[in-house]
Amino acid sequence: MATFLYKLGRLAFRRRHFVALIWVALLTLAGVGAANAPAAGASSFSIPGTEAQKAFDLLEQRFPGMSADGATARVVFKAPSGEKMADKANKATVEKTVKALGDGSEVTSVTDPFKAKAVSKNGSIAYASVKYKVSGMELKDSSKDALEAAAQQARDAGLTVEVGGDALQATPETGSTEVIGIAIAAVVLVVTFGSLIAAGLPLLTALIGVGIGVSTITALANALDLGTTTSTLAMMIGLAVGIDYALFIVSRYRAELAEGREREEAAGRAVGTAGSAVVFAGLTVVIALVGLSVVNIPMLTKMGVAAAGTVAIAVLIALTLIPALLGYAGRKVQPAGQKSRLLGGGRAAKKAARPNMGTRWASFVVRRPLAVLLLGVVGLGAAAVPAASLELGLPDDGSQPASTTQRRAYDLLSDGFGPGFNGPLMLVVDAKASDDPKGAVTRVADTVKDLKGVVSVTPATYNKPGDTAMITVIANSNPSSVKTENLVHAIRDAGGGIKADTDAEVLVTGSTAMNIDFSQKLNDALIPYLALVVGLAFLLLIVVFRSILVPLKAALGFLLSVMAALGAVVAVFQWGWLANLIGVQQTGPIMSMMPIFMVGVVFGLAMDYEVFLVTRMREAYVHGEKPGQAIVTGFKHGARVVTAAAVIMIAVFSGFIGSSESMIKMIGFGLAIAVFFDAFVVRMALVPAVLALLGKKAWWLPRWLDRALPNVDVEGEGLRKLGDGRKDDDDRELVRV
């Protein structure tokens, strides 16, 4: 591996014009494809294998033309204080608004509040339901404008009017904090390298990689049904790993220059050593992201694969474009320890150089490993405590900021019709196999009415053949509450007895039931996913480190950091601690996909630092140093760079906390705090402490396994045989390796 990458790095350095041209061409091609691609529609949301999805599919089949996935809007009216909606003037305003709402070309139906009995018991609140032919993301601007104009006319007449539903769904914005995150990354790079040119290379290559990745996703979004969240996630992870991978290559290149090697040789050795770590670190991230497909939720699979593709691009750019750009930079990239004149370089060197911070810290940990280990474990354990009260759910209009019309409409409906009205349960009764379809449907309605927690059951709506019916059930509890979840399970349990007696199948669907099934599916998949991803990465790390205990320690450390990060997410987004500081206006259940998503992404990123840091330790150990000294040497060469990489990744992820979409905000915060815990507590403290306690046992590997494993030579042992000044006269040798 190291020899192949060494030759690849030297080839890219020499043929820099050709390499740069290829990447510029790929960026241009992806950009043109994105610019000319048709606008992406709404990403479909399906949960194969769940009862809610089965019911949804049955509705599409038995009620053709009803546009079950079409956008909806609820226009909520509230009469002025002391008045009723049934008052003559208010009623006339509502009827005029309903007529205006029904004029749109994409509207399929509008309900009159007075005919549909959609007026609250106290008579002060009413609502009109609007149904559209297409989804919220596909809705034309003219239809949205007409909806807002109709609402504004009713407001001008003196009513309070708010609009809920997904018809006014807006494209999320990340905000200016994303740019601030990149700016912080730039500052960290300048401080780390002491050179504007060296600092600019990782930023430039990361932006090129993200540009190719996100443009490709945009170009394929319509064909592959990719949502806006997919490209945002790819950008988030692509920027972070792109900067980090390039940082490690450039840092190793400067270290090789400091040892007196020529620039082409230094580029080859940087790619051969640090590049090997980049390959395996990238592989762990890709495994974690692609592994999301085991959950069998198409949306999550697409997000994972798209982000994995962007990571793969970042790895390829680090291995090829970075050495090419180093060739262009020439002497403007200084050896390690030297700064450019602009940043204070060229001054007289100090008489005695102190050991760097990494050396001093590693020496302290080696002397006090048990104390450091206990302190780190207790600290992370305390941070993980809130995770014990984790509540899962999916965001609805109730989680929107209080300033939005969707949130105000949600609150008005809750006040007028009860908390369960915003999350009605839809029962689909498949009575095709029943001898008495209507009798079976009547029994379903009567049975459900008697269940605890049910406020109302609407009359059944039949399809044309009369063998399938829809019934709407309103609960007396909030859609995201445990009581509503228990009611869904109670209805399904009762449906089992009804089917045994009447041969009619009762299915529960609707947004609330879909959320419950979604959360359950994710919970069920978490353990298999952990086993798959951690298992594959464990085997990969055994190959890299040729050790059993080092990969085991890496996996256990990851579990500590991810649990602590989940605890922090619960404390902020569920409990409300420091919520105002990051713009969380509404606390509530944690997004259902957050635990499994954090497990996947954080595991991949955590293994980055494990590979980069421990590889330098193993390199020193393989070259003859004692275990304790190898730890200090690894920190001497790697701690500064790993610290910089972690700060950069935290800054990039934190930049997405400013997003207007709660999912992106939560992911940005979760990943930022997870990287902080993993890099600065687990990798920089617990890892050297455990290795110091284990001593030589840390690098133990059974002889039979040592013979069976392939030798990937991540430490670059094979490069020592090449000699410092060896030239590759025949580039075709690279192809044969």
Side-chain angles (χ1 to χ4, degrees):
M1 172 70 78
T3 305
F4 170 79
L5 293 178
Y6 164 81
K7 294 175 180 177
L8 178 63
R10 293 193 62 178
L11 177 64
F13 188 96
R14 288 199 305 272
R15 304 294 177 86
R16 62 187 74 108
H17 303 308
F18 179 69
V19 172
L21 182 63
I22 288 177
W23 284 111
V24 170
L26 288 175
L27 179 61
T28 303
L29 184 64
V32 171
N36 295 321
S43 178
S44 60
F45 181 76
S46 62
I47 317 173
T50 61
E51 179 175 315
Q53 185 64 45
K54 182 180 178 181
F56 187 83
D57 295 339
L58 186 65
L59 283 176
E60 292 280 353
Q61 178 185 347
R62 302 285 177 85
F63 291 84
M66 71 172 292
S67 301
D69 61 345
T72 58
R74 276 181 172 174
V75 183
V76 188
F77 306 91
K78 183 179 181 181
S81 180
E83 298 182 16
K84 302 291 184 182
M85 289 304 305
D87 292 348
K88 186 175 180 180
N90 294 336
K91 187 174 182 180
T93 299
V94 171
E95 290 174 345
K96 183 179 179 182
T97 304
V98 169
K99 184 178 179 182
L101 291 170
D103 291 339
S105 60
E106 294 181 309
V107 176
T108 58
S109 65
V110 181
T111 61
D112 186 320
F114 302 102
K115 295 179 181 178
K117 298 182 180 180
V119 181
S120 63
K121 288 183 179 180
N122 63 10
S124 64
I125 299 174
Y127 70 92
S129 294
V130 187
K131 184 74 175 175
Y132 294 90
K133 299 176 182 177
V134 296
S135 64
M137 293 298 291
E138 296 171 314
L139 206 60
K140 295 179 181 177
D141 290 338
S142 58
S143 295
K144 296 181 181 181
D145 293 341
L147 177 60
E148 292 176 330
Q152 187 58 48
Q153 286 179 2
R155 292 190 190 105
D156 295 340
L159 297 178
T160 298
V161 185
E162 305 296 346
V163 183
D166 59 354
L168 293 182
Q169 185 176 353
T171 302
E173 298 176 357
T174 53
S176 59
T177 50
E178 177 189 343
V179 178
I180 295 174
I182 296 176
I184 293 173
V187 172
V188 172
L189 287 169
V190 171
V191 172
T192 302
F193 289 137
S195 165
L196 293 176
I197 299 296
L201 292 181
L203 278 177
L204 175 63
T205 54
L207 290 173
I208 291 174
V210 167
I212 294 173
V214 173
S215 295
T216 303
I217 291 171
T218 304
L220 300 175
N222 187 67
L224 300 181
D225 190 27
L226 304 177
T228 54
T229 305
T230 303
S231 58
T232 305
L233 175 65
M235 182 190 302
M236 184 190 303
I237 296 177
L239 270 176
V241 301
I243 294 174
D244 277 10
Y245 293 166
L247 167 65
F248 286 110
I249 300 284
V250 175
S251 177
R252 187 61 182 251
Y253 171 76
R254 297 178 72 235
E256 296 293 336
L257 289 179
E259 293 183 11
R261 293 191 173 88
E262 296 181 359
R263 294 187 177 274
E264 181 180 329
E265 179 70 16
R269 288 179 175 267
V271 176
T273 51
S276 298
V278 165
V279 169
F280 284 99
L283 272 176
T284 60
V285 180
V286 169
I287 287 172
L289 291 170
V290 174
L292 290 170
S293 59
V294 303
V295 183
N296 194 27
I297 295 178
M299 180 186 71
L300 206 56
T301 299
K302 292 171 185 176
M303 289 171 61
V305 172
T310 307
V311 171
I313 292 172
V315 171
L316 292 174
I317 282 182
L319 299 178
T320 57
L321 187 57
I322 282 292
L325 294 179
L326 289 172
Y328 283 117
R331 299 185 180 277
K332 293 180 181 178
V333 176
Q334 304 283 352
Q338 296 184 22
K339 296 182 179 180
S340 65
R341 291 183 178 275
L342 182 63
L343 297 173
R347 298 174 184 173
K350 295 181 180 180
K351 293 182 179 180
R354 288 183 63 196
N356 63 20
M357 180 67 75
T359 301
R360 298 198 299 273
W361 169 250
S363 299
F364 169 78
V365 175
V366 169
R367 291 195 306 270
R368 301 283 188 273
L370 190 59
V372 172
L373 179 62
L374 291 176
L375 185 62
V377 170
V378 171
L380 290 177
V385 168
S389 61
L390 175 69
E391 295 178 9
L392 299 178
L394 285 179
D396 55 15
D397 285 347
S399 62
Q400 296 277 356
S403 59
T404 62
T405 186
Q406 291 94 335
R407 170 63 186 280
R408 292 196 293 262
Y410 183 97
D411 292 340
L412 282 176
L413 287 172
S414 295
D415 293 340
F417 301 93
F421 195 79
N422 282 292
L425 304 175
M426 182 180 292
L427 272 57
V428 181
V429 183
D430 181 6
K432 196 169 187 178
S434 177
D435 296 332
D436 181 12
K438 290 192 176 181
V441 172
T442 301
R443 178 174 172 183
V444 170
D446 292 340
T447 302
V448 173
K449 282 179 185 176
D450 295 334
L451 292 177
K452 183 180 178 181
V454 174
V455 172
S456 64
V457 177
T458 63
T461 301
Y462 291 88
N463 64 343
K464 285 185 178 180
D467 58 11
T468 307
M470 291 188 300
I471 300 174
T472 301
V473 178
I474 305 298
N476 65 2
S477 52
N478 189 287
S480 60
S481 69
V482 176
K483 290 182 179 179
T484 303
E485 182 177 350
N486 292 337
L487 176 59
V488 170
H489 293 313
I491 294 174
R492 288 172 173 170
D493 291 341
I498 293 173
K499 183 176 182 180
D501 295 338
T502 65
D503 291 327
E505 187 175 13
V506 182
L507 303 172
V508 186
T509 189
S511 60
T512 302
M514 289 283 274
N515 290 352
I516 292 170
D517 288 354
F518 183 69
S519 299
Q520 186 60 49
K521 192 174 181 69
L522 288 172
N523 286 339
D524 293 342
L526 184 58
I527 299 302
Y529 175 72
L530 262 175
L532 173 69
V533 172
V534 177
L536 288 175
F538 181 78
L539 294 176
L540 186 65
L541 292 179
I542 288 178
V543 174
V544 174
F545 296 127
R546 307 194 77 78
S547 163
I548 297 293
L549 296 179
V550 170
L552 181 61
K553 172 264 309 169
L556 293 176
F558 151 73
L559 291 176
L560 271 176
S561 60
V562 80
M563 289 303 298
L566 273 176
V569 170
V570 170
V572 174
F573 289 87
Q574 187 175 309
W575 292 359
W577 292 5
L578 304 177
N580 292 333
L581 192 63
I582 62 173
V584 179
Q585 297 187 23
Q586 180 66 29
T587 59
I590 303 304
M591 206 162 328
S592 300
M593 68 175 68
M594 194 65 189
I596 198 167
F597 185 81
M598 279 190 65
V599 164
V601 177
V602 174
F603 181 77
L605 300 179
M607 293 306 104
D608 281 2
Y609 302 118
E610 181 75 16
V611 170
F612 290 131
L613 193 59
V614 180
T615 296
R616 291 304 293 259
M617 298 179 192
R618 175 164 175 78
E619 185 177 340
Y621 179 75
V622 168
H623 292 166
E625 293 187 8
K626 294 182 178 180
Q629 184 58 40
I631 294 171
V632 175
T633 301
F635 267 74
K636 175 183 177 181
H637 295 293
R640 179 183 175 89
V641 180
V642 168
T643 300
V647 172
I648 288 169
M649 198 170 278
I650 291 169
V652 172
F653 288 147
S654 298
F656 290 85
I657 296 175
S659 173
S660 62
E661 186 172 339
S662 58
M663 177 179 175
I664 298 299
K665 181 186 290 288
M666 192 179 293
I667 289 175
F669 174 82
L671 294 184
I673 198 71
V675 169
F676 173 80
F677 285 144
D678 195 86
F680 293 109
V681 180
V682 175
R683 308 304 154 190
M684 303 293 282
L686 301 188
V687 165
V690 172
L691 291 178
L693 290 171
L694 291 175
K696 290 184 178 181
K697 295 178 182 178
W699 308 108
W700 171 79
L701 186 69
R703 291 185 178 180
W704 64 268
L705 185 57
D706 187 37
R707 292 192 297 268
L709 290 178
N711 183 13
V712 295
D713 189 20
V714 177
E715 300 83 18
E717 181 68 21
L719 300 183
R720 304 182 75 182
K721 303 174 183 178
L722 296 177
D724 286 350
R726 178 171 177 170
K727 302 287 185 180
D728 284 322
D729 297 323
D730 187 1
D731 292 335
R732 289 175 297 178
E733 181 182 355
L734 176 65
V735 181
R736 296 198 299 269
V737 175

